Amino acid sequence: MRKTDRFFIEFDSSIHKSMGSRYSVKSYYPWKAALDMMVSRTCRKKALPCNKRYCFRVSQVNLIWQSMSHYFQHMSTDQDMLIAAKLEMYRFLKEIVLRLSDHSTRPSQLIPDKFTVYSGHDNTIIPLLIALELPVKQWPPFASRLIFELYEPPADVVRKEHVFKLVYNGKDVTRQLKFCVSSLGYLYHGCALKDLVNYVHNIVPNLGANSYAEACGSPRNVL
C-alpha cells in the first residue's frame, strides 16, 4: 500500500472521530473542496455551513486544514507525485520561461507587459511548488500567490545575464531552489534565469522521454 493511500485511510478515521458517521470520504478530494469553502468563510468571519441537523465548527476546519497539510507533506516527498507535478506544470512553466526569456532580450522600454497575472487555486499552486521542488510543508493558505520577479543586471557588470527571484506569499524562497547552481545567480541574491530555463527544458528528457506526449503516455503530440 502506498503511503498516500494509507494517509486517506488515516484521514477518514480522524474525520469520523470528529464528526461521527455524518460524513464519509474515500479520497482527499471531497475534503479539499470543503476546505476551499470553509477557509474562505472562516477568513472572512462568516458563519460556517449547516444542514438541518449539524453545523461545522472551527475546530473541524482546523482538523481538515492540519490533515491536508499532512497530506501535502506526503505529496511533496512522493516520487510519483513529483513526476506527476512536473508533467502537470510543464507547459505552464514553459510559458513562464518563454515570457521571462523574451523580456530578458528586449530593452525595458520596449516590453509591452511588465506585469502578468495568472489566476488559479490551491490545486494549481500545489503542483507548481512540488514541480519546483520547494520544501513547503503547509497547505497553501487562502489567497496564496507565487511571484516570479525578473531583474536586469547592473550596468557595470561585465556578464549581462538576467536573474529572477521567486516569492511565495511575501517570502523570498529563491535560495531554496535546488536547480539554482550558477554562481552568478546569487550575485544579486537571486537565481540565474538560465538555470530556470535549463531546469524546465530538461524536465521531459530527465524522465527518459523524447516528448511531452511520450512522457505522459499520450498517443498524440500535445505540445
Side-chain angles (χ1 to χ4, degrees):
M1 181 184 295
R2 291 177 53 188
K3 61 182 179 180
T4 48
D5 296 325
R6 290 198 299 270
F7 168 81
F8 290 150
I9 295 173
E10 294 169 2
F11 184 27
D12 193 25
S13 175
S14 65
I15 293 295
H16 272 291
K17 288 180 182 178
S18 174
M19 302 182 182
S21 59
R22 298 179 182 88
Y23 301 95
S24 180
V25 60
K26 300 301 181 184
S27 74
Y28 90 101
Y29 291 102
W31 294 114
K32 195 200 80 64
L35 186 65
D36 284 344
M37 176 268 296
M38 289 190 289
V39 166
S40 64
R41 295 186 69 87
T42 301
C43 290
R44 293 172 179 173
K45 299 182 179 180
K46 301 292 185 180
L48 293 174
C50 302
N51 59 25
K52 293 182 179 180
R53 297 183 302 166
Y54 185 79
C55 293
F56 273 99
R57 301 190 300 272
V58 173
S59 61
Q60 292 165 340
V61 178
N62 292 334
L63 170 64
I64 298 174
W65 174 269
Q66 293 166 4
S67 297
M68 296 304 290
S69 292
H70 185 206
Y71 174 66
F72 190 17
Q73 293 179 31
H74 281 287
M75 292 176 68
S76 62
T77 58
D78 186 288
Q79 188 63 27
D80 290 338
M81 290 290 187
L82 174 60
I83 293 173
K86 287 184 176 181
L87 290 174
E88 183 178 359
M89 290 290 106
Y90 174 70
R91 286 180 289 180
F92 181 49
L93 285 170
K94 188 176 179 181
E95 179 176 339
I96 291 174
V97 162
L98 288 173
R99 187 178 292 275
L100 292 176
S101 298
D102 180 57
H103 284 12
S104 70
T105 59
R106 299 189 191 189
S108 58
Q109 64 270 22
L110 298 180
I111 297 176
D113 51 340
K114 295 186 178 182
F115 182 72
T116 303
V117 177
Y118 297 92
S119 179
H121 297 276
D122 51 2
N123 56 358
T124 308
I125 291 180
I126 288 168
L128 186 55
L129 293 173
I130 294 175
L132 293 170
E133 300 185 50
L134 283 170
V136 182
K137 301 301 182 182
Q138 184 186 53
W139 196 266
F142 181 58
S144 287
R145 65 260 180 218
L146 190 63
I147 302 172
F148 290 80
E149 298 178 346
L150 184 65
Y151 291 83
E152 293 181 341
D156 58 348
V157 173
V158 176
R159 294 175 62 187
K160 301 293 184 182
E161 295 189 45
H162 284 66
V163 300
F164 78 96
K165 289 185 179 181
L166 189 65
V167 180
Y168 177 55
N169 289 338
K171 180 180 178 181
D172 187 346
V173 295
T174 314
R175 291 180 181 269
Q176 299 179 42
L177 296 170
K178 298 177 182 178
F179 57 79
C180 291
V181 296
S182 300
S183 59
L184 174 72
Y186 293 107
L187 184 60
Y188 317 114
H189 306 289
C191 178
L193 178 58
K194 65 181 181 182
D195 286 345
L196 176 63
V197 172
N198 291 336
Y199 178 75
V200 174
H201 176 76
N202 288 320
I203 285 178
V204 170
N206 286 345
L207 295 176
N210 295 315
S211 68
Y212 178 69
E214 181 183 335
C216 293
S218 173
R220 62 186 180 87
N221 192 340
V222 294
L223 282 181

